[in-house]
Amino acid sequence: MFLIFLCLLCFLCSFLPAQQTLKVDVNLINVFATVKDDQGNFVTNLTKDDFRIFEDDRPQDVQIFEKQEKVESAIGILMDTSGSMVDIMPFMRRGIRDFTRALPKADEFFLVSFGTAVKLQHTSSQPQKHLEDSLAALRAYGTSSLFDGLLYSMEKVEKSERPRKALIVFTDGNDNGSNVSHGRIIEEIQISAVLLYFVAIGSPVLVDSHTLEPLSEISGGRTLYAPKQEAVSPVLDQIRTELAQQYYLAYYAPRRPGFHRLRVEVPGRNLRIRAKTGYTGE
């Protein structure tokens, strides 16, 4: 009897590491792709067979494919409340109210302010009045901790089970108060699957586009500019429409350290594709 038990124990011990190795050594790589034709119109009739994904120039087998309307989102909304945003606050408040009211009920969101400190202001599980009160109480003053806010919000949105994860960040791109470095943010973007959309309100001359545009491009998002004399809602409508028109593609890859370049193609068609440019393996 003891011999049978010992054999069974040895069998189980040899089996479990194989299962653990299988889980540890494989990554699911998520890619969201925005596809437009040469006139700037969204292309929404593509299938899994139309796409090709390359990692470090090697073709990958797309194992998950979903069209835009089927994918739920987790969205972090970030407000720069530093002193440079005094004239911008009313535009941000109005735009955020309009944007959150139009989100699908299946999506979740949260609001974070970053100025002298980073603070979670609201989550979608709280009443709309709480959001209104939180927005009304915000004041612009002090320094900007943009990178601290980005890191906090990326870590928070990554905890969501919703496949699509995005941050919409109202800022002029200036950071003069963060503990987190610019290089750390680039690393986090490459590790994560979070899309970054920056909304810069006001004169483009006052915006640090050299910081914002590369960060959004790495993630597969983009940077949008809105003059102060115009409503912010149309710019946010562009983001909401784009999120609703994306394709979700994913494949399994061995865990390998270092940066890995990604390229998404639709062979045989003259299309413009925007997607994450790479990821950093652990």
Side-chain angles (χ1 to χ4, degrees):
M1 186 71 180
F2 177 78
L3 183 60
I4 296 174
F5 173 78
L6 185 61
C7 292
L8 179 61
L9 182 62
C10 291
F11 173 78
L12 291 175
C13 289
S14 64
F15 179 76
L16 287 176
Q19 293 285 37
Q20 292 169 354
T21 302
L22 179 62
K23 292 179 181 178
V24 169
D25 290 347
V26 177
N27 259 340
L28 179 65
I29 310 302
N30 297 310
V31 180
F32 286 90
T34 303
V35 185
K36 293 185 177 182
D37 61 22
D38 55 2
Q39 296 182 346
N41 301 310
F42 288 106
V43 178
T44 61
N45 60 349
L46 300 176
T47 68
K48 174 184 173 180
D49 294 336
D50 292 317
F51 285 93
R52 300 289 183 274
I53 295 184
F54 297 86
E55 178 181 312
D56 297 331
D57 294 326
R58 293 190 295 269
Q60 304 298 314
D61 179 22
V62 177
Q63 292 164 305
I64 300 176
F65 175 84
E66 292 186 20
K67 290 190 176 181
Q68 49 278 6
E69 67 274 6
K70 297 180 181 179
V71 181
E72 296 177 353
S73 299
I75 299 173
I77 303 171
L78 284 71
M79 292 179 66
D80 185 343
T81 57
S82 63
S84 63
M85 306 299 284
V86 170
D87 296 337
I88 310 300
M89 290 294 290
F91 299 95
M92 288 193 288
R93 290 192 186 100
R94 190 179 310 121
I96 290 170
R97 288 190 192 102
D98 294 342
F99 179 80
T100 55
R101 286 170 181 162
L103 282 176
K105 291 183 179 180
D107 290 353
E108 64 181 20
F109 74 91
F110 60 85
L111 174 67
V112 166
S113 64
F114 63 91
T116 304
V118 177
K119 184 178 180 181
L120 178 64
Q121 298 288 347
H122 177 81
T123 69
S124 52
S125 62
Q126 296 173 298
Q128 178 71 21
K129 187 178 185 305
H130 183 270
L131 175 62
E132 297 284 347
D133 293 343
S134 299
L135 288 170
L138 290 174
R139 298 291 181 269
Y141 69 93
T143 56
S144 169
S145 52
L146 169 61
F147 299 152
D148 287 352
L150 286 174
L151 180 61
Y152 171 84
S153 300
M154 279 192 284
E155 290 177 344
K156 180 172 178 58
V157 79
E158 280 280 12
K159 296 176 183 177
S160 172
E161 295 181 354
R162 286 161 172 76
R164 183 193 288 115
K165 300 171 176 63
L167 298 183
I168 300 173
V169 189
F170 293 87
T171 183
D172 57 11
N174 295 306
D175 185 306
N176 54 11
S178 284
N179 295 313
V180 176
S181 69
H182 178 261
R184 172 74 187 282
I185 292 302
I186 292 178
E187 291 174 1
E188 289 298 324
I189 294 172
Q190 291 172 344
I191 292 172
S192 77
V194 180
L195 298 158
L196 295 185
Y197 289 89
F198 293 106
V199 180
I201 304 172
S203 172
V205 177
L206 303 177
V207 176
D208 185 357
S209 58
H210 297 294
T211 294
L212 300 184
E213 292 184 4
L215 292 180
S216 60
E217 182 178 353
I218 293 170
S219 76
R222 61 186 177 127
T223 300
L224 301 96
Y225 299 87
K228 280 197 297 186
Q229 66 269 24
E230 295 181 7
V232 180
S233 294
V235 174
L236 294 176
D237 286 342
Q238 292 181 46
I239 298 174
R240 183 169 48 246
T241 300
E242 182 167 305
L243 290 173
Q245 300 297 330
Q246 288 171 333
Y247 293 90
Y248 171 43
L249 307 99
Y251 65 94
Y252 290 97
R255 282 188 183 242
R256 294 177 295 135
F259 182 74
H260 304 286
R261 292 175 290 109
L262 293 176
R263 188 173 78 254
V264 180
E265 296 180 355
V266 177
R269 299 185 61 173
N270 184 24
L271 300 175
R272 290 181 291 166
I273 304 170
R274 190 172 70 253
K276 189 178 180 70
T277 59
Y279 72 95
T280 300
E282 296 179 292

